[in-house]
Amino acid sequence: MTALVIGHRGAPGYRPEHSESGYRLALELGADAVEPDVVASSDGVLVLRHENEIGGTTDVAEHPEFADRRTTKTIDGHELTGWFTEDFTWAELQTLRVRERIPELRPASASHDGAERMLRLADLLRILAEHEANSGCRAGLVVEIKHATYFEALGLPLDDLLIAELAESGWDAASGLVIECFELGVLERLRRRGVDARYVYLLEKTGAPADRAARDGAEASTFADDLTDAGLDALAGRVDGISVDKAYLLPWTTQGKRVGDLVARAHERGLVVFTWTLRPENAFLNPRHRLGDEPGELGDWEREFAAILGTGVDGVFADYPDRALAVRDGQRHPSVHSPE
């Protein structure tokens, strides 16, 4: 099976993440699917943001009318200070403009700061429909539910909001709908309620899922427990696949020998495997693939991407979809999009 290349929050190597131009560019570059993260506004609109804290990805700090919304919250065990989507109506969020999250590494993307508004999931569904109508090609949709337990406690259950959004959209498993989350509970609720999708469980390198931590405290089983043979046995049948940090696929010994067989063990149990995130800048590459000392410079990304794809993984999330496609499709001298 050829690995899917999934535009991670659009094409954030070239445009601010979760922007309309970023999603349209990912589709133009040939991404097999795009991945939005969904959080909620105070009035129950599914908003596309990597986190519900929006100080780093919008110009909210420049809006004096929202100065008193700055606050400190504990989300999934982590204390954060900033501005949060659940403290704004959708109409208020529409007054903000999006910006590059890591401008020091991606100045070309940052040059587009302030040009676009935030998006809802409904807006992305429209963009995907327009792309299909104009190109004849249907790209998949990989929806990541963020902080499900946290939002449920606020009276904003993201599973209910997602069901309502998808009800008349025509999206299902056959048309390329995948739903993923770092919490198993919300995925199982959606499946029991008949939402036709493929379900993928996301796993961090450390810690425990927020829903388990809320239920079991310090006794909660960890993400690492899920990746043992017994853990994978327990996941088979509950979800369709797993999605892991690329470090799980490319652990290197000091001698440079790759070890580990996670993809093979998951496949033996009928689970697909996705991984995140393919990025070409030195700051994100394995040390053996970095070139020079500048974090924002491009390293030997082709070698790292090829190594990851060579594990037999079923899908990769990429900030520059064209670069991942070039390596997947065997282009020796890949033609990549100009940051322009």
Side-chain angles (χ1 to χ4, degrees):
M1 174 182 172
T2 300
L4 293 174
V5 170
I6 303 161
H8 182 237
R9 311 173 201 161
Y14 299 118
R15 297 289 189 278
E17 62 188 33
H18 294 305
S19 63
E20 178 164 351
S21 64
Y23 280 112
R24 291 192 183 278
L25 180 56
L27 296 169
E28 291 168 10
L29 294 174
D32 299 306
V34 292
E35 182 244 11
D37 302 304
V38 294
V39 294
S41 66
S42 64
D43 49 347
V45 174
L46 287 178
V47 180
L48 304 191
R49 287 289 93 188
H50 172 53
E51 293 292 343
N52 52 327
E53 198 292 301
I54 56 175
T57 59
T58 74
D59 64 353
V60 64
E62 298 171 11
H63 287 250
E65 69 273 25
F66 298 138
D68 62 350
R69 308 279 179 97
R70 189 172 189 268
T71 188
T72 298
K73 301 189 180 192
T74 299
I75 299 168
D76 295 351
H78 301 284
E79 188 175 277
L80 295 173
T81 298
W83 292 263
F84 299 85
T85 59
E86 64 269 22
D87 296 329
F88 294 80
T89 66
W90 172 242
E92 290 173 328
L93 291 172
Q94 278 283 273
T95 68
L96 307 180
R97 296 295 183 270
V98 300
R99 57 175 43 174
E100 171 57 44
R101 183 172 53 86
I102 44 175
E104 68 280 5
L105 298 181
R106 294 176 174 171
S109 176
S111 70
H112 298 276
D113 283 359
E116 301 178 62
R117 294 185 175 91
M118 296 172 67
L119 299 178
R120 303 164 295 179
L121 180 58
D123 297 319
L124 179 56
L125 297 181
R126 170 183 53 80
I127 291 167
L128 286 163
E130 290 175 3
H131 171 73
E132 183 177 8
N134 294 333
S135 69
C137 299
R138 181 159 194 153
L141 176 65
V142 182
V143 180
E144 181 180 345
I145 297 173
K146 304 291 294 197
H147 309 304
T149 297
Y150 170 81
F151 275 104
E152 185 174 17
L154 297 179
L156 292 166
L158 298 184
D159 48 335
D160 287 353
L161 298 177
L162 184 58
I163 287 171
E165 195 71 66
L166 293 174
E168 299 181 9
S169 71
W171 281 94
D172 56 19
S175 60
L177 176 63
V178 175
I179 302 175
E180 59 178 9
C181 188
F182 285 101
E183 302 174 45
L184 271 174
V186 68
L187 298 180
E188 294 183 310
R189 289 198 302 273
L190 285 164
R191 174 166 269 174
R192 285 196 303 268
R193 295 172 69 180
V195 177
D196 184 10
R198 289 199 300 159
Y199 290 93
V200 171
Y201 175 40
L202 285 154
L203 297 103
E204 293 274 17
K205 287 189 293 185
T206 60
D211 53 349
R212 278 192 212 146
R215 184 190 66 206
D216 302 331
E219 301 302 314
S221 58
T222 66
F223 289 114
D225 293 330
D226 290 315
L227 295 180
T228 64
D229 285 343
L232 290 173
D233 287 340
L235 289 174
R238 297 175 70 188
V239 292
D240 300 294
I242 58 175
S243 184
V244 299
D245 188 299
K246 66 179 183 177
Y248 277 119
L249 303 187
L250 294 180
W252 298 91
T253 68
T254 53
Q255 292 79 31
K257 180 182 178 181
R258 194 174 76 219
V259 297
D261 58 353
L262 175 58
V263 174
R265 290 190 297 115
H267 283 173
E268 287 171 2
R269 292 159 173 84
L271 296 166
V272 300
V273 182
F274 292 171
T275 194
W276 38 274
T277 303
L278 273 61
R279 295 169 167 137
E281 295 96 347
N282 279 327
F284 306 112
L285 294 173
N286 184 285
R288 60 190 281 113
H289 296 141
R290 295 171 189 163
L291 300 175
D293 299 322
E294 292 299 320
E297 293 299 314
L298 302 187
D300 192 357
W301 56 271
E302 293 172 85
R303 186 179 299 274
E304 177 158 309
F305 289 13
I308 291 169
L309 289 161
T311 65
V313 70
D314 302 287
V316 296
F317 293 88
D319 282 5
Y320 298 77
D322 50 341
R323 295 178 188 269
L325 287 163
V327 174
R328 185 197 70 182
D329 297 339
Q331 298 179 25
R332 283 190 66 177
H333 302 287
S335 174
V336 297
H337 179 75
S338 167
E340 40 274 37

